[in-house]
Amino acid sequence: MSATAKKRAPLPEDILARKGGEPIVSLTCYTTPMAEIMDEHVDFVLVGDSVGMVLHGLKSTVEVTMEMMILHGKAVARGLSSAMLVVDMPFGSYEESPEQAFRNAAHIMRETGAGAVKLEGGTQMAQTIRFLVDRGIPVMAHVGLTPQSINTLGGYKVQGRGDAGDALMADAQAVAEAGAFSVVLEKVPESLADKVTAEVPIPTIGIGASAGCDGQILVLDDMLGLFTAFKAKFVKRFANLGEDAGAAIADYARAVKAREFPGPEHVFGDAAPGAKK
Ligand code: KIV
C-alpha cells in the first residue's frame, strides 16, 4: 500500500477477527466534521443514542427516535471513508419482535449506509440477534449497563457485581452464540470484564469495564469535555473543549462590545469594477 493509499473501512468480520489482537479503537460520533476528524484514528464509529443526551439535551436515551438516529447516521456517514459506521437502534425500535427489529434495522442501514447496527440486551435479545444476522444484518450487542433500561435497572449502576456476574456472563455468551460480531460491555467490574473477554469468542468493547477488553469506546462529547452535565468515573477527559469554547465565546462578546471585532482584516472595501475583492 502506498503512503497515500487510504485503508478501506473494516467489515464486521474484520472486527471479529481482531479478537485477542490489537485493541479495537472506537468512539461515538454525531456530526460530519467530527467524523472527518476521527476517521483515520478509529476502527469503527458508533452513532450512539447518547446523541439524545449530549446533543439534544434529553434526560435519557429512552426519548431518542428513529428519525434522530437516521439524521445523525447520515451526517456521520458523510464524514467517514476508512472507519466502519455502526448505528444504535433506539428504544422501542426492536424489542417487540424480531420482525420489528428487522424492519427498523434495514431502514437504518438503507438510509445511513451503516455497516452494522447495535442493540441493547443479552439473553432476552438473542433470538432477535439471530433473526437479524440470518437476514444479512450484522449486529453489535450491548450488555451490562444498558441505558435504555434505566427505568428497570434503577439508574446508572455498576452491573454484574457478586452473584449477578453469572447472569452477565450468560448474556455475553448468548449474544455471541446468536451471531453478534462484537459486544459492548458497559459499567461492569474489571475482573468480570476480563473473564468475559477470556471466555466469549467475540471481541468485547469496554466502556467502564477493563483495559483488558478487546477494544474500547467512549462517548465523544465526554472525552472531549464538551458534555459536562455530569461525568461518570469511567470517563477520562482527553481535552477540555467545553472550557475552551466558553473562553472563546466570552472573548468574542468582549471584542464586540469594545468594537474591536470586526477588525480591518474582516471588512470589505468599496469594490470598483474589476478591482481585487
Ligand atoms: O449510545 C452510546 O453512546 C453507547 C455507548 C456508550 C456504547 O451506546
Side-chain angles (χ1 to χ4, degrees), residues 37 54 71 88 91 113 147 166 195 217 224 233 256 260 267 273:
I37 290 169
V54 302
L71 184 74
D88 250 346
F91 180 64
D166 288 347
K195 196 160 174 250
I217 190 162
L224 291 181
K233 176 181 176 179
V256 168
E260 279 174 19
V267 297

Side-chain angles (χ1 to χ4, degrees), residues 109-120:
M109 289 181 74
R110 197 164 45 236
E111 291 291 322
T112 65
V117 295
K118 177 168 82 58
L119 55 82
E120 296 183 5

Side-chain angles (χ1 to χ4, degrees), residues 28 30 46 48-50 88 118 120 142 184 186 207 217 219:
T28 70
Y30 321 104
L46 171 70
D49 59 355
S50 48
D88 250 346
K118 177 168 82 58
E120 296 183 5
H142 183 157
V184 171
E186 181 164 353
I207 174 163
I217 190 162
V219 169

Side-chain angles (χ1 to χ4, degrees), residues 127-151:
Q127 193 196 346
T128 295
I129 293 172
R130 172 51 61 201
F131 191 89
L132 296 183
V133 173
D134 283 350
R135 287 158 182 77
I137 297 188
V139 177
M140 179 177 288
H142 183 157
V143 304
L145 175 64
T146 46
Q148 293 175 8
S149 303
I150 45 150
N151 293 312

Side-chain angles (χ1 to χ4, degrees), residues 121-127 143 167 170-172 174-175:
T123 314
Q124 81 282 22
M125 291 313 301
Q127 193 196 346
V143 304
D171 280 338
V175 299

Side-chain angles (χ1 to χ4, degrees), residues 51-65:
V51 66
M53 294 174 76
V54 302
L55 284 199
H56 292 268
L58 300 178
K59 278 201 220 45
S60 79
T61 56
V62 172
E63 297 165 66
V64 173
T65 63

